[in-house]
């Protein structure tokens, strides 16, 4: 039997997408349809080392609106793929991918790391999502919280697989040792990452450490974003010294992880949190907000780190004191974290996706074209296209 032919719509390929698609390329025919050559959000350095086919709408169709470019691409290449993977249900390209799947009688899979609790949900919007997802056959999701949400939105539990959000563990792997010391936070400097709360926690940890005669660990923040000046001013106001490294490239990040001991990740909203994968691969214990989508899978309480409340300083300070004062305990947790994250690697991602492809091909019939739901998808795609000038 010839390998399945799939196409994945991705807004802009970063190193994480390239690593995953490279792992898939020897197992099936995968093409990436990249919407734009540069990300409006992330400072990614192009598509290095990609050993799979990819096309870029922006390059192929120039100034043609994304909605029409996507439709033209799928129509022109209708014999090159069997299954369309879309990156959610909100962008013009993804919505048009769903429309093309119905019109061209192709199977459609939605890739998602959304859960029921990672944002404010309205009854009307959830109804619209369900209508959109009547036109898909399966879902490739991040973890258990995301699986439950996909089921709530009407996708059959028989055609859902997890392990969507993984990183190249080998890229971030580091030696677990007592030589490291220091807390590290990695991420964009934006509101939902909750850095002001993190600085409050660090300030209390710093003060308490000195009070009990313990040398406090330093805190380093790696990332860029609009809150950088505000955060620096707030740290100065609190009277603590915090090192801000600025943005780091994918190739620079392993060295940053390797020189620190414990990851802090305090987000109020986080669909998954790939920095947790990265830190664990580097052998770091992780202190993670309970709101992060990766918690049920990755944060084994007291074994790989701790899942902590998003607005209560004391549990964070207690965990920081525990890990900074007990080298043996920290090293053991770091080793357990590195071992546990090996279950969530590129190979697990590829296996899960291939299992889903087989389920979708064999267990799921082509969706009958539901004119009303398809019209809703098309209207939303047009509206979003005008809204974003695409």
């Amino acid at each position: 039997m010839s390998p399945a032919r799939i196409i994945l719509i991705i807004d802009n390929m970063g190193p994480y997408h390239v690593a995953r698609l490279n792992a898939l390329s020897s197992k099936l025919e995968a093409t990436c349809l990249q919407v734009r050559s540069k990300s409006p959000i992330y400072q990614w350095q192009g598509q290095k080392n990609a050993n799979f086919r990819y096309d870029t709408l922006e390059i192929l169709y120039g100034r043609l609106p994304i909605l029409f470019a996507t439709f033209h691409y799928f129509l022109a290449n209708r014999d090159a793929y069997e299954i369309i993977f879309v990156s959610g249900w909100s962008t013009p390209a993804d919505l048009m991918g769903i429309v093309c799947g119905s019109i061209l009688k192709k199977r459609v899979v939605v890739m998602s790391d959304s859960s029921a609790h990672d944002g404010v949900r309205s009854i009307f919007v959830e109804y619209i999502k369900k209508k959109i997802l009547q036109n898909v056959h399966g879902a490739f999701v991040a973890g258990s919280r995301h699986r439950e949400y996909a089921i709530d939105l009407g996708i059959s539990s028989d055609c859902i697989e997890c392990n969507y959000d993984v990183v190249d563990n080998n890229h971030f792997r580091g030696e677990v040792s007592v030589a490291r010391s220091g807390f590290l936070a990695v991420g964009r400097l934006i509101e939902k990452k909750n850095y002001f709360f993190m600085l409050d926690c660090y300030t209390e940890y710093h003060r308490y450490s000195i009070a009990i005669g313990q040398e406090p660990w330093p805190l380093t923040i790696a990332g860029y974003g609009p809150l950088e000046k505000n955060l620096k001013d707030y740290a100065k106001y609190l009277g603590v010294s915090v090192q801000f490294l600025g943005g780091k490239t994918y190739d620079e990040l392993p060295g940053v992880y390797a020189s620190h001991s414990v990851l802090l990740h305090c987000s109020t909203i986080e669909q998954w949190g790939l920095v947790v994968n990265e830190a664990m691969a580097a052998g770091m214990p992780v202190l993670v907000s309970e709101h992060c989508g990766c918690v049920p899978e990755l944060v084994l309480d007291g074994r790989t780190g701790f899942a902590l409340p998003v607005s209560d300083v004391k549990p964070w300070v207690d965990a920081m004191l525990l890990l900074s004062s007990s080298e043996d305990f920290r090293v053991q947790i770091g080793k357990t974290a590195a071992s546990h994250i090996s279950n969530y690697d590129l190979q697990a991602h590829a296996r899960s996706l291939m299992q889903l492809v087989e389920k979708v091909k064999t267990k799921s019939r082509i969706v009958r074209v539901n004119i009303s739901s398809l019209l809703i998808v098309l209207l939303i795609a047009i509206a979003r296209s005008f809204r974003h000038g695409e």
Side-chain angles (χ1 to χ4, degrees), residues 136-376:
V136 309
H137 299 78
F140 191 27
V141 301
S144 56
R145 292 178 179 178
H146 317 90
R147 176 185 174 85
E148 291 169 6
Y149 188 45
I151 293 171
D152 289 343
L153 292 175
I155 298 176
S156 171
S157 60
D158 291 342
C159 287
I160 301 174
E161 287 289 335
C162 297
N163 287 325
Y164 171 49
D165 278 340
V166 302
V167 303
D168 181 357
N169 291 344
N170 290 332
H171 181 74
F172 296 97
R173 182 164 289 130
E175 182 183 351
V176 182
S177 72
V178 297
R180 301 178 179 184
S181 66
F183 298 107
L184 174 68
V186 178
R188 289 180 295 145
L189 307 184
I190 56 177
E191 196 67 38
K192 76 171 188 175
K193 300 296 183 179
N194 210 15
Y195 283 110
F196 292 101
F197 171 75
M198 182 186 295
L199 291 177
D200 288 338
C201 294
Y202 180 67
T203 300
E204 287 303 306
Y205 157 80
H206 192 277
R207 290 173 180 169
Y208 196 82
S209 295
I210 292 174
I212 62 175
Q214 177 180 310
E215 180 70 22
W217 276 1
L219 170 62
T220 301
I221 297 177
Y224 58 90
L227 295 181
E228 182 173 352
K229 183 180 184 305
N230 304 71
L231 289 167
K232 288 179 176 178
D233 289 345
Y234 190 57
K236 184 177 180 180
Y237 166 77
L238 292 172
V240 291
S241 177
V242 178
Q243 184 180 17
F244 288 84
L245 296 182
K248 292 295 177 181
T249 68
Y250 182 72
D251 290 333
E252 291 172 331
L253 276 174
V256 175
Y257 286 115
S259 58
H260 294 83
S261 298
V262 176
L263 180 80
L264 305 182
H265 196 59
C266 304
S267 294
T268 56
I269 299 172
E270 193 73 79
Q271 281 74 18
W272 179 261
L274 289 177
V275 296
V276 179
N277 298 61
E278 295 169 359
M280 290 174 65
M284 298 174 70
V286 293
L287 303 183
V288 182
S289 157
E290 292 172 337
H291 288 202
C292 292
C294 67
V295 163
E297 281 71 33
L298 303 188
V299 187
L300 309 181
D301 211 43
R303 295 173 56 202
T304 63
F306 295 94
L308 301 166
V310 76
S311 58
D312 187 354
V313 169
K314 187 178 185 303
W316 289 85
V317 173
D318 290 344
M320 292 164 75
L321 286 167
L322 175 62
L323 289 168
S324 62
S325 62
S326 176
E327 288 185 349
D328 291 344
F329 181 60
R330 173 180 61 81
V331 169
Q332 182 54 55
I333 286 192
K335 289 179 178 178
T336 303
S339 175
H340 182 65
I341 199 64
S342 66
N343 299 306
Y344 302 88
D345 60 5
L346 296 176
Q347 288 67 41
H349 176 90
R351 284 194 302 270
S352 294
L353 187 143
M354 291 180 64
Q355 289 169 5
L356 180 58
V357 164
E358 290 306 310
K359 288 179 180 180
V360 166
K361 285 174 60 178
T362 60
K363 293 186 179 181
S364 183
R365 296 177 301 171
I366 294 293
V367 174
R368 283 184 61 185
V369 176
N370 183 315
I371 299 299
S372 64
S373 66
L374 199 60
L375 184 60
I376 286 174

Side-chain angles (χ1 to χ4, degrees), residues 49-68:
N49 305 317
N51 58 19
F52 52 88
R53 177 188 169 186
Y54 67 90
D55 293 315
T56 305
L57 284 178
E58 189 177 62
I59 294 173
L60 290 175
Y61 297 100
R63 294 186 177 275
L64 187 68
I66 286 174
L67 206 62
F68 300 110

